[in-house]
Amino acid sequence: MIEEPLDTRDRSMMDCARVGALRTPAVSALLVRQTVRRGAESVLLIGTGTQGRNALPHLLATNPQLGKLMLYGTRPEGLVPLWD
């Protein structure tokens, strides 16, 4: 929610669920890029929920050296979007 500073009228509203679903995986991918062991070529992604599914594209975009991606999750339906 963004409010007018002088009279606190609502100016705009945003869907924070969508923002959070993208922000957390994007920040995690940047953290991996900054802390990855030199020469690392693989990563284990844990989670097949919304944030887990969104993490894969961010990881690949920020860490192109990763050639082996492993995924663990308890929601098999969360894997389907990754293969489409």
Side-chain angles (χ1 to χ4, degrees):
M1 180 79 65
I2 299 174
E3 297 178 342
E4 185 66 41
L6 299 178
D7 62 13
T8 68
R9 287 182 296 153
D10 297 339
R11 300 300 286 170
S12 66
M13 183 179 276
M14 65 189 321
D15 180 356
C16 292
R18 292 182 68 193
V19 171
L22 294 173
R23 180 196 61 228
T24 301
V27 170
S28 297
L30 293 173
L31 180 63
V32 169
R33 184 176 73 185
Q34 295 301 313
T35 61
V36 69
R37 181 178 47 88
R38 186 174 304 191
E41 298 177 355
S42 63
V43 67
L44 169 62
L45 178 62
I46 299 173
T48 51
T50 300
Q51 291 184 7
R53 286 192 312 270
N54 288 337
L56 186 60
H58 293 290
L59 275 171
L60 293 175
T62 58
N63 301 278
Q65 80 284 2
L66 297 174
K68 181 178 181 182
L69 304 171
M70 298 169 282
L71 179 64
Y72 173 81
T74 58
R75 298 182 45 196
E77 66 276 9
L79 295 173
V80 174
L82 297 175
W83 304 121
D84 291 344

